Amino acid sequence: MAEQSLMTIQRHILEEERKHPQATGELSALLSDLVLAAKIISLEVNKAGLVGIIGYTGSTNIQGEQVRKLDVFSHEVLFKAMEHGGHLCVMASEEEENIIPIPQNFVKGKYVLLFDPLDGSSNIDANVSVGTIFSILKRVTPDGGSDGTLQDCLQPGLKQVAAGYVLYGSSTILVYTTGHGVYGFTLDPALGEFLLSYNNIRIPAASKIYSINEGNYKYWHPGLKKYIKYLQEEDEKSRRPYSSRYIGSMVADIHRNLLYGGIFMYPADSRNPNGKLRLLYECNPMAFIVESAGGMASDGKKRVLELMPESLHQRTPFFVGNKEDVQMVEKFIAEEEVNVPAV
Ligand code: AHM
Ligand code: MG
């Protein structure tokens, strides 16, 4: 028998809520709606190779990338699962250019939901893990049943009240935080329940993995080039050389590093001065989770959670993982900054 008692995600959410006597239960209800969406997307992702759903829709998203059918499907499932709960005043998705209002016939609540419905979807054809990422904020415009606005979405990551991801891998795993510990649940497909499998995740202190697309080496900041070379040198005390692990699917890469210890990087480079990943849908929620697990997230200079977003689809360089690793890459970048003022 397993040592820990069986804990479904629904029960966990409710027990967490009880620890906060001032809680109204709205956030719990919102998270429960997200759990349903995760189960539906998981079912569909698992069938992807079978039902011929994979392939292009023939359209491009606002980033100019080709959209997979499953991205669209996941976006729609999330919207449908979340629109009517009465807890949200507005949503925004990586797959949609503008903010997504709550339909007029539904009650508007005090929360804001930002999501990347299916991150890493270019991997689906190869049966590589993909993930859903979500970020929940409180509205800043006055409550009272009115529609949320762009202003409600453009808040720094520090203001998140909850964030999480769902990793569709060898199992489907949902990891979430409300800032008080990070918890992971594995979906039992027969029961249709997420069961607690990772209680209070803490990123291991002894890191040994780095994850970055090294094909872009030529275009990197010289400080980053030096840092990667440093990680490849031999030094037993600092566990170097590190192992290189890069799936190319951020949720899977960060999940692994969260469990094993390591740093994930998607830097700026001379071709993409802001990197690739989106602040609101990808970096802020992952930064909140990793920080809540004892790690750190930086744009190379500043704490990601303190960045003030200016637009919905803004990108940022992203360095996330063990504190010591992130501090070290910041140091390497700062040391070379005098030679290279801007990348
Ligand atoms: P997407 O939002 O279009 O799926 O792109 C994000 C993904 C991340 O999951 C992953 O870390 C990154 O793109 C990989 O990019 P690259 O192929 O440039 O290394
Ligand atoms: Mg994405």
Side-chain angles (χ1 to χ4, degrees), residues 190-233:
L191 287 175
E193 291 276 13
F194 279 101
L195 301 172
L196 182 65
S197 44
Y198 300 93
N199 195 8
N200 198 11
I201 300 174
R202 303 293 298 169
I203 190 161
S207 161
K208 216 190 159 350
I209 295 173
Y210 73 93
S211 317
I212 190 166
N213 184 343
E214 270 181 285
N216 296 328
Y217 183 87
K218 182 180 185 317
Y219 309 107
W220 290 347
H221 186 286
L224 180 60
K225 288 183 177 173
K226 283 195 176 168
Y227 174 66
I228 298 297
K229 288 293 162 215
Y230 162 84
L231 292 180
Q232 294 168 350
E233 284 162 11

Side-chain angles (χ1 to χ4, degrees), residues 240-256:
R240 289 179 291 146
Y242 273 32
S243 291
S244 164
R245 295 280 183 276
Y246 190 70
I247 298 168
S249 197
M250 182 185 61
V251 177
D253 274 312
I254 294 183
H255 182 71
R256 181 207 49 241

Side-chain angles (χ1 to χ4, degrees), residues 49-226:
L50 290 171
V51 295
I53 195 168
I54 45 180
Y56 294 102
T57 57
S59 59
T60 52
N61 72 9
I62 68 125
Q63 327 280 351
E65 302 152 335
Q66 277 201 294
V67 174
R68 298 276 182 176
K69 276 185 185 167
L70 270 174
D71 299 49
V72 178
F73 175 84
S74 307
H75 170 89
E76 283 166 4
V77 167
L78 276 157
F79 176 70
K80 284 284 164 210
M82 306 309 297
E83 62 171 355
H84 57 269
H87 314 298
L88 295 175
C89 62
V90 67
M91 294 185 243
S93 160
E94 192 188 294
E95 292 300 329
E96 196 136 331
E97 183 171 358
N98 298 313
I99 57 168
I100 309 168
I102 304 302
Q104 282 319 317
N105 47 324
F106 297 127
V107 175
K108 318 292 181 302
K110 64 178 179 208
Y111 289 105
V112 175
L113 175 68
L114 310 175
F115 58 91
D116 182 350
L118 207 61
D119 185 65
S121 51
S122 64
N123 288 308
I124 283 177
D125 283 348
N127 211 13
V128 171
S129 304
V130 289
T132 296
I133 311 168
F134 60 89
S135 162
I136 301 171
L137 301 146
K138 265 195 189 141
R139 67 185 300 168
V140 286
T141 52
D143 203 350
S146 60
D147 286 329
T149 66
L150 180 61
Q151 200 194 337
D152 292 309
C153 298
L154 298 183
Q155 299 186 52
L158 265 184
K159 299 283 182 190
Q160 291 172 106
V161 292
Y165 60 77
V166 189
L167 173 60
Y168 312 100
S170 47
S171 317
T172 294
I173 290 181
L174 190 154
V175 172
Y176 87 100
T177 187
T178 54
H180 310 279
V182 178
Y183 299 92
F185 301 80
T186 304
L187 181 63
D188 181 323
L191 287 175
E193 291 276 13
F194 279 101
L195 301 172
L196 182 65
S197 44
Y198 300 93
N199 195 8
N200 198 11
I201 300 174
R202 303 293 298 169
I203 190 161
S207 161
K208 216 190 159 350
I209 295 173
Y210 73 93
S211 317
I212 190 166
N213 184 343
E214 270 181 285
N216 296 328
Y217 183 87
K218 182 180 185 317
Y219 309 107
W220 290 347
H221 186 286
L224 180 60
K225 288 183 177 173
K226 283 195 176 168

Side-chain angles (χ1 to χ4, degrees), residues 34 218 256 279 300 306 314:
L34 277 167
K218 182 180 185 317
R256 181 207 49 241
L279 177 60
E306 289 176 13
Q314 178 174 332

